[in-house]
Amino acid sequence: MAILVTGGAGYIGSHTCLELLNKGYEIIVIDNFSNSKPESLKRVSKLSNKNFKTYQIDLLDKKRLDEVFSTNQFEAVIHFAGLKAVGESVNSPLRYYENNVTGTILLCEAMRKYGVQNLVFSSSATVYGSTNEVPISEETQLNAMNPYGRTKQMCEEILKDLYLSDQTWSISILRYFNPVGAHISGIMGEDPIGIPNNLMPYISQVAVGKLKHLTVFGNNYHTIDGTGVRDYIHVVDLAKGHLKALEKVLATKEIGVYNLGTGQGYSVFEMVEAFEKASGERIPYIIKDRRPGDVAICYANPSKARNHLGWKATRGIDQMCQDSWRWQQNNPNGYNEQAEKQNRREQPVFNHASDFFMPKT
Ligand code: NAD
Ligand code: UFG
């Protein structure tokens, strides 16, 4: 029986697919490639030396989703598929609610219909909104402050209600802090479309010369050096957290909510310094006003994940920067055509459930 990975071609999904394959799980991926490229899955296949089925399907396409469930047997689902840009969610709230909330409901309906009731769900520290309480534990009041965050908060409520209605479900809700870094091979990493919104991909594009300088959003916060503090977590640690959550949902019948963070906060300037050290490049920056909606400090209390899942982040800030830099240097244009040429493989892509493709190694 396989693990269904929705959004498996994305940044966190692709790293998790690799960890799953390396652990011997059979996986099947669904992705509509709205924010990713099939190339990421080819790299997963290459690194793991394993093939797997991939369906190019939109979660909102009920009929095709049903076909995927009727033609395969799943023991669990890891649900990454979702839109994640905060600013875009403010401008297009309906698109976000439909994609993230309706998508999750349709997925759960298909799961229920086919008796697949083990789920690991991608939530976000964004559900905590603006809180002055740090470190942030799972008990902290939820207060999402934008449509994207509210889609995650709503999905969490829906999943809790689902579990209350039928306790044969088993669900892990994972609240990620700030995922950064890349696979150590340098052939998988984050590939943001257009100009990055997030700090780490922005810094690495400055380091590689694609962007002129970093804009630091505010240096007058009450923090160590005035800049915003976040809990950056290496994407491979995060991926490994999903395997622990998967073990949990397969072994128990309960619902659990877990912070996935390191418990350590770093400021923007500390990240810049660490990246300069890792890359040997200077990161020029200018200071501008605070970005609306940003909080001063946000870092996790990750002890629940340690105690209940047996998971702990092990990769520090230096490795996060070294791995990001290796990925950025090797793939200055991400998974784009240029990069694809170097790794050219026959790659049929189908959009019908019965016409899956296998990424070729
Ligand atoms: P990503 O955009 O790289 O990956 C998401 C994947 O889902 C993409 O491949 C996209 O094409 C796919 N997708 C989106 N909507 C779909 C749909 N309707 N049908 C099929 N596929 C669809 O994002 P990521 O960084 O890998 O994030 C994965 C999950 O984790 C998301 O749910 C995101 O909200 C959540 N999350 C991300 C972060 C972060 O900073 N990266 C932080 C907290 C939570
Ligand atoms: N920052 C800059 N300049 C930039 C980008 C960011 O100074 O160009 C600063 C921000 O002001 C903040 C810190 O760097 O202090 C981190 O910002 P990011 O945009 O990288 O991350 P956020 O903490 O704002 O948000 C991210 C995701 C959210 C997610 C949250 C918690 O974008 O979706 O982490 O997981 F919810």
Side-chain angles (χ1 to χ4, degrees):
M1 284 220 279
I3 307 300
L4 176 64
V5 185
T6 76
Y11 174 43
I12 306 167
S14 56
H15 286 81
T16 304
C17 285
L18 180 59
E19 295 300 320
L20 287 164
L21 291 165
N22 286 345
K23 265 270 170 163
Y25 288 100
E26 184 193 339
I27 65 166
I28 293 179
V29 169
I30 286 182
D31 205 300
N32 64 0
F33 301 114
S34 58
N35 198 39
S36 56
K37 303 194 183 77
E39 177 66 19
S40 66
L41 294 172
K42 282 201 269 176
R43 308 261 177 116
V44 170
S45 203
K46 189 172 167 171
L47 278 170
S48 63
N49 206 20
K50 286 183 182 153
N51 284 332
F52 50 90
K53 289 185 196 175
T54 297
Y55 293 99
Q56 181 172 3
I57 282 176
D58 195 305
L59 270 188
L60 299 173
D61 190 336
K62 218 171 157 173
K63 189 163 162 274
R64 287 182 175 159
L65 188 62
D66 192 276
E67 283 172 23
V68 173
F69 275 86
S70 67
T71 50
N72 296 284
Q73 287 208 313
F74 300 116
E75 59 179 331
V77 177
I78 306 184
H79 178 32
F80 292 104
L83 300 171
K84 63 168 182 178
V86 173
E88 195 179 63
S89 79
V90 174
N91 295 325
S92 309
L94 297 181
R95 184 171 167 237
Y96 269 67
Y97 286 115
E98 184 181 35
N99 194 79
N100 294 4
V101 181
T102 308
T104 300
I105 293 173
L106 294 180
L107 176 68
C108 290
E109 276 177 353
M111 289 174 70
R112 185 174 53 182
K113 179 172 170 191
Y114 288 93
V116 186
Q117 290 175 293
N118 300 318
L119 175 66
V120 177
F121 175 70
S122 292
S123 187
S124 168
T126 197
V127 295
Y128 296 117
S130 178
T131 173
N132 294 320
E133 237 180 81
V134 282
I136 299 175
S137 82
E138 291 81 356
E139 305 309 314
T140 304
Q141 180 78 34
L142 302 192
N143 183 26
M145 291 171 71
N146 53 63
Y148 164 64
R150 282 189 279 274
T151 67
K152 292 293 178 188
Q153 199 172 327
M154 283 176 192
C155 286
E156 288 199 8
E157 296 298 337
I158 290 166
L159 296 177
K160 286 174 194 164
D161 285 339
L162 180 60
Y163 178 78
L164 280 179
S165 74
D166 177 355
Q167 288 166 21
T168 60
W169 281 82
S170 185
I171 301 172
S172 274
I173 294 172
L174 306 180
R175 294 181 183 150
Y176 317 149
F177 280 69
N178 289 56
V180 296
H183 189 261
I184 194 164
S185 62
I187 73 165
M188 282 172 58
E190 185 173 13
D191 183 18
I193 291 173
I195 298 190
N197 291 311
N198 297 121
L199 181 66
M200 184 68 121
Y202 204 105
I203 290 180
S204 54
Q205 292 198 12
V206 172
V208 84
K210 282 181 76 177
L211 296 168
K212 260 192 173 157
H213 59 75
L214 170 70
T215 301
V216 176
F217 298 133
N219 65 346
N220 56 358
Y221 287 107
H222 290 294
T223 60
I224 178 176
D225 54 23
T227 65
V229 168
R230 295 292 183 277
D231 186 339
Y232 297 95
I233 171 156
H234 196 294
V235 67
V236 173
D237 277 330
L238 200 54
K240 288 179 185 294
H242 288 75
L243 268 71
K244 292 292 188 186
L246 179 62
E247 285 168 19
K248 183 79 170 174
V249 297
L250 292 176
T252 59
K253 290 279 168 223
E254 58 184 49
I255 187 162
V257 182
Y258 307 99
N259 284 342
L260 295 189
T262 63
Q264 166 81 52
Y266 288 105
S267 73
V268 174
F269 285 155
E270 286 174 319
M271 291 304 284
V272 168
E273 200 184 316
F275 206 93
E276 286 183 335
K277 188 173 132 207
S279 65
E281 300 290 332
R282 208 172 62 80
I283 313 293
Y285 64 81
I286 58 168
I287 311 275
K288 283 234 173 128
D289 289 347
R290 294 179 179 191
R291 188 170 62 177
D294 273 357
V295 294
I297 305 184
C298 172
Y299 60 91
N301 174 346
S303 59
K304 188 174 173 196
R306 190 174 59 232
N307 297 336
H308 293 239
L309 301 179
W311 172 88
K312 190 176 180 295
T314 60
R315 291 160 181 77
I317 186 179
D318 289 337
Q319 190 169 351
M320 295 178 203
C321 294
Q322 285 157 10
D323 291 343
S324 288
W325 179 234
R326 192 176 305 107
W327 155 253
Q328 183 67 73
Q329 269 188 308
N330 291 351
N331 305 269
N333 300 311
Y335 295 119
N336 77 346
E337 260 179 59
Q338 195 67 28
E340 278 184 42
K341 271 183 201 148
Q342 292 163 10
N343 289 278
R344 179 80 64 196
R345 297 282 187 280
E346 286 309 305
Q347 182 64 77
V349 176
F350 300 101
N351 60 13
H352 195 273
S354 54
D355 297 336
F356 59 83
F357 68 84
M358 298 258 199
K360 295 255 170 40
T361 47

